[in-house]
Structures are given as C-alpha cells and as structure tokens.
Amino acid sequence: ATLRGHNEEVRDVAWSPDGRTLASGSRDGTVCLWGIPPEAGDLDEGQEPLFCLEVANGDVRSVCWRGDGCMLAAGCVNGAVQVWEVHRDDSGIRSVHLLAQHNLKPHSGVVYELNWHPTKAALIASASHDCTVAVWSVVSGESIVRQKVKQQVNTVSWDQTGKRLVMGSDEGEVIVWSEDGKLNMLPKFGGQVHAVAWSPAGSDTLAAAGEDGFVRVLRVAPG
C-alpha cells in the first residue's frame, strides 16, 4: 500500500515499538502518524493519517520513537527538535500533545539522527551537521554532553546499557563516547560513515556502514 499524507519529500520513517504506528517526517513541515494493521495487506490505499503534526520549525529530517512508545521526537533542518507525548489505550493512540514548553534547539545545523537513551526516559542523543553530538534533556532542554568532531555527524546510537554512545561522521570517524567522558577512536573509514548500530546480542559489538562500500563489524573493549 502507498500512504499519501505529505505534500513534499518524505525524509524519514520510524515504527513505534509495538509496530502498530508508523511515523513519517517530511520536508513539508509535518510528521504523520499512520495506524498499521498486523497484516500490511489490510491497508487501504486511501488511508488517512491518524494524526498530522505540525512542526513549528518546519522541514523535518529525522523522527524517532522512545522505547516505550510514549514520546516521539522530530529533528529539523534548522537544528531544532520537537517532541510530543503520545497517549495510548488498548485501541491505540488516543491523543498527542506537544511536550516542550521551551525552545528545543540543541544544534545550529541539520539534525540528521535522534536516538533515545535506553534507560533514562528524558535523555536523547542527536547527530548534526554542526559537527557535534549532543546528549540533552527533553524536559529542561539543557545539554548534558556536547562532543565536537571534525566534520558533520551523520549517525548516533546508544548501546543497550546507555553507558556508551557511538557516532559516525563525514570524516570517516567512528567514535565511542563513554559516560566517564572517555573517547575510543575506532578504525577510520575511507569516506563518510552513514550508519552505526550496536548489536542487541552483546553491548561490545557494533556495525558501521560507509561511503567506501564497506560494512565493518567492530568489537569495542568493555568500559
């Protein structure tokens, strides 16, 4: 089925943790939430979104659900992030409310990726064109950590424990940040790093995808 709810380029999609809702973020400044039945074949070609959320800062580049499905964040081209609380019951999403009562603008450039902390519900990590990764509170808007690198940061991912964060940059850097402030520089790619992901089978293994045509599976020393 093809879902039609945006007027311009759709830049990111993300499934809710229960698999019942799909969020899509667009250049048109909206995030649409779609109810998806267990069997995709049950989708109606003319299906309307459950909610179409306006993004004050417009031009959405990334969307990300929190692990419990109760919050949704959208990263924008201008460096801002918008966060909503999602209220559910047994039948699905009941209501969606804008969380932030303050300006959430952790970056000065495009927010390419967002990743919620796995154990601290208010914390989220963001990767940006402004050459930084920020770890910040969606409640206060304050940065807990801000790590600068040489080039734009394309991707970011927490390990299962939330004690380490891996980031990948345009410079080919793959860097692991630990909560004690230590940085572990892993073997460099020959071009941009487009994606990083920790293995769910073990917190010391991660994969990285690069512009040079390689996928690297890396072991990181415990810490």
Side-chain angles (χ1 to χ4, degrees):
T2 301
L3 303 175
R4 295 177 174 86
H6 296 288
N7 298 320
E8 294 192 51
E9 176 185 1
V10 181
R11 286 182 160 150
D12 201 13
V13 291
W15 289 99
S16 62
D18 64 4
R20 296 168 63 186
T21 311
L22 182 68
S24 56
S26 170
R27 186 176 179 179
D28 67 10
T30 65
V31 172
C32 289
L33 303 185
W34 307 88
I36 307 296
E39 299 296 331
D42 296 336
L43 279 172
D44 182 352
E45 285 286 347
Q47 180 171 328
E48 296 289 329
L50 299 172
F51 295 89
C52 194
L53 309 171
E54 296 286 337
V55 178
N57 299 289
D59 209 344
V60 178
R61 182 61 178 80
S62 51
V63 288
C64 185
W65 292 91
R66 197 170 69 181
D68 59 4
C70 293
M71 282 195 186
L72 175 68
C76 300
V77 168
N78 72 346
V81 176
Q82 199 151 311
V83 181
W84 297 270
E85 288 184 289
V86 180
H87 302 277
R88 302 171 180 268
D89 56 25
D90 292 341
S91 62
I93 296 177
R94 187 174 71 254
S95 61
V96 182
H97 300 290
L98 188 64
L99 171 72
Q101 301 302 316
H102 46 267
N103 183 29
L104 294 175
K105 200 169 187 295
H107 296 284
S108 59
V110 183
V111 179
Y112 287 116
E113 191 165 32
L114 296 161
N115 197 267
W116 289 90
H117 195 284
T119 63
K120 297 177 182 177
L123 295 187
I124 193 168
S126 49
S128 175
H129 183 77
D130 67 6
C131 306
T132 66
V133 165
V135 178
W136 50 281
S137 167
V138 299
V139 176
S140 68
E142 295 179 359
S143 293
I144 311 301
V145 175
R146 183 170 293 276
Q147 182 63 50
K148 183 86 172 174
V149 298
K150 295 178 182 177
Q151 295 285 337
Q152 73 179 41
V153 187
N154 300 316
T155 180
V156 65
S157 176
W158 292 102
D159 74 356
Q160 290 175 302
T161 67
K163 294 181 178 180
R164 290 182 295 181
L165 186 69
V166 62
M167 60 196 82
S169 80
D170 257 18
E171 184 79 3
E173 297 167 316
V174 179
I175 304 169
V176 177
W177 171 87
S178 301
E179 65 177 359
D180 61 5
K182 293 180 180 177
L183 293 177
N184 186 354
M185 309 289 289
L186 301 181
K188 196 172 181 179
F189 277 71
Q192 301 173 13
V193 178
H194 293 307
V196 290
W198 292 93
S199 168
S203 61
D204 295 332
T205 303
L206 63 85
E211 182 185 34
D212 59 6
F214 293 103
V215 175
R216 290 193 175 91
V217 178
L218 304 164
R219 302 282 185 181
V220 183

